[in-house]
Amino acid sequence: MSTSIGAASRQLADLIRRRPDCREAPREWMVEATNRCNLTCAMCPRHTVRFDVGDMPLDFFENLMLRHSGLEAVWPYGFGEPLLHPQIADIIRCAKRYEKTVSLSTNATLLDEARGALLLESGLDYLILAVDGFDDVYGRNRYPADVRDVEGRVANFLALKLVRHSALHVTVQMVRMQNNSHQVRAFRKLWTRPGVDVVRVRDDLSGFPDTAIPRQSTPPALKRPCFFLWRGPLFVQAAGTVIPCPYYHGSPPFGDLRSQSALEAWNSPAMRLLRAAHLAGALSNYPVCARCPRHQPSRSLAALSFFVTTDHIRRIFPRLEDFQRRLDVKFFE
């Protein structure tokens, strides 16, 4: 724990000192096991960009774990549906052998009994089951998935979890959009049941005008550097390339873990130039950052985020999100 606090302190100090280079690589990584997907989702930007489709090889993933002992948490999902990876359970087991906290998010359309058993046996710490509404609303948001089929698969998996007395922390999640915001209360009622640890409702952050909940006012221009560029997580694509955040999918890579360490990729010339642009408030060459739809937290909350772990994100943040939604205020996203 003291090592984690020390690394977080150095990350925060680098931001406060306005350093475009970083002394620490992120301690949490989103590692894209696959960027293949079986759905076309209303809030997903994958249909707006071009990219090479593929899976991350298991041996490459294990090499990443071997080379980066300071890594604490791995999220083996990203721009695709992780259950499409034929060795996703092996990837999870590999990360657990290296003592990482592992989270997975799935649309649950492929979550049959065999895959469910593999996940429960893999050592997985956190599982997010993404179910975004009811009836035809769900079908429009998660095309061409069928809501009754998905609800049945989730119910069967929860029953299997209970029978096996598994400690796996399960979140059933809705992305709140314009067409399903009226279903939030019913969604919570439906999924508040044994086997579900958290029912999470989070706002759509795609920035798409047809899906995202309209803001009360136009978000202000970015006035402070984005703290994620110092804190992370590190976003590793299926090919092993690195981008600053998910909004940069489809852009040229900023680093490459096939030839660099995480710290080298995090401090690549492209990453340092991006941080320098944020520090100068000059984002004309970075339209992805200039039009970022995320809320800018206060400086104190941004500083606190450096000491937030995956356990906090999975267990505590959903309740804080609900609290701020009830108050109709925005502290963070």
Side-chain angles (χ1 to χ4, degrees):
M1 180 62 71
S2 59
T3 302
S4 300
I5 293 174
S9 299
R10 286 186 289 274
Q11 289 175 323
L12 176 58
D14 288 342
L15 171 58
I16 293 173
R17 294 171 183 169
R18 303 175 63 83
R19 294 175 54 140
D21 60 316
C22 297
R23 291 174 290 171
E24 296 283 343
R27 293 166 290 126
E28 296 171 329
W29 294 10
M30 177 175 280
V31 181
E32 197 174 62
T34 181
N35 57 24
R36 295 184 293 128
C37 194
N38 58 336
L39 300 183
T40 300
C41 298
M43 64 296 196
C44 180
R46 63 180 288 119
H47 61 280
T48 68
V49 297
R50 293 185 178 184
F51 56 94
D52 293 331
V53 178
D55 299 342
M56 178 176 288
L58 175 61
D59 58 352
F60 178 74
F61 179 86
E62 180 159 17
N63 182 258
L64 292 180
M65 299 299 101
L66 178 65
R67 288 162 47 202
H68 297 92
S69 59
L71 174 61
E72 296 174 5
V74 180
W75 313 338
Y77 58 92
F79 219 34
E81 167 50 49
L83 294 189
L84 284 170
H85 195 296
Q87 295 175 293
I88 189 62
D90 294 322
I91 283 176
I92 296 167
R93 283 193 286 265
C94 173
K96 293 307 299 180
R97 284 200 304 273
Y98 289 90
E99 301 181 334
K100 315 303 183 187
T101 300
V102 186
S103 305
L104 196 73
S105 179
T106 173
N107 60 38
T109 57
L110 303 174
L111 189 59
D112 54 20
E113 183 174 357
R115 288 189 179 93
L118 285 173
L119 292 181
L120 290 172
E121 295 163 0
S122 67
L124 182 66
D125 297 289
Y126 295 98
L127 179 64
I128 301 169
L129 302 170
V131 186
D132 298 304
F134 304 103
D135 51 63
D136 62 327
V137 171
Y138 173 88
R140 293 197 299 272
N141 292 338
R142 294 277 182 178
Y143 181 81
D146 178 82
V147 68
R148 293 186 182 277
D149 176 68
V150 169
E151 288 176 353
R153 288 174 182 271
V154 172
N156 291 339
F157 176 78
L158 295 174
L160 186 62
K161 173 192 168 181
L162 293 173
V163 165
R164 296 195 173 203
H165 305 287
S166 170
L168 174 63
H169 186 280
V170 173
T171 297
V172 177
Q173 176 175 281
M174 169 194 275
V175 176
R176 187 173 75 110
M177 293 172 274
Q178 294 177 32
N179 68 358
N180 66 4
S181 61
H182 64 287
Q183 298 180 333
V184 168
R185 182 174 296 180
F187 181 85
R188 290 190 179 281
K189 182 177 180 180
L190 174 65
W191 293 112
T192 301
R193 62 172 74 179
V196 177
D197 297 278
V198 171
V199 178
R200 183 187 186 191
V201 177
R202 70 170 185 84
D203 287 350
D204 171 31
L205 296 176
S206 68
F208 295 158
D210 294 336
T211 62
I213 302 293
R215 296 181 183 271
Q216 296 298 320
S217 59
T218 303
L222 188 66
K223 296 180 180 179
R224 297 187 299 275
C226 175
F227 65 90
F228 288 114
L229 295 176
W230 282 262
R231 182 202 181 276
L234 184 73
F235 291 89
V236 186
Q237 297 176 293
T241 48
V242 169
I243 54 176
C245 78
Y247 295 110
Y248 274 88
H249 277 294
S251 300
F254 283 63
D256 194 333
L257 296 189
R258 291 172 296 187
S259 57
Q260 297 173 304
S261 69
L263 187 58
E264 288 170 339
W266 196 233
N267 281 323
S268 70
M271 284 298 299
R272 293 200 305 271
L273 284 172
L274 178 59
R275 291 192 192 99
H278 273 253
L279 291 169
L283 296 176
S284 58
N285 292 329
Y286 299 97
V288 172
C289 292
R291 62 172 181 259
C292 180
R294 295 186 71 97
H295 172 75
Q296 296 180 52
S298 67
R299 285 184 173 85
S300 58
L301 282 176
L304 181 63
S305 74
F306 285 81
F307 301 92
V308 167
T309 67
T310 292
D311 292 332
H312 297 133
I313 293 170
R314 304 300 179 218
R315 295 176 181 272
I316 300 174
F317 269 38
R319 293 179 172 85
L320 295 178
E321 289 170 328
D322 184 49
F323 178 71
Q324 70 177 4
R325 190 175 297 112
R326 290 175 185 274
L327 292 180
D328 196 24
V329 296
K330 185 72 71 174
F331 298 117
F332 61 87
E333 282 178 328

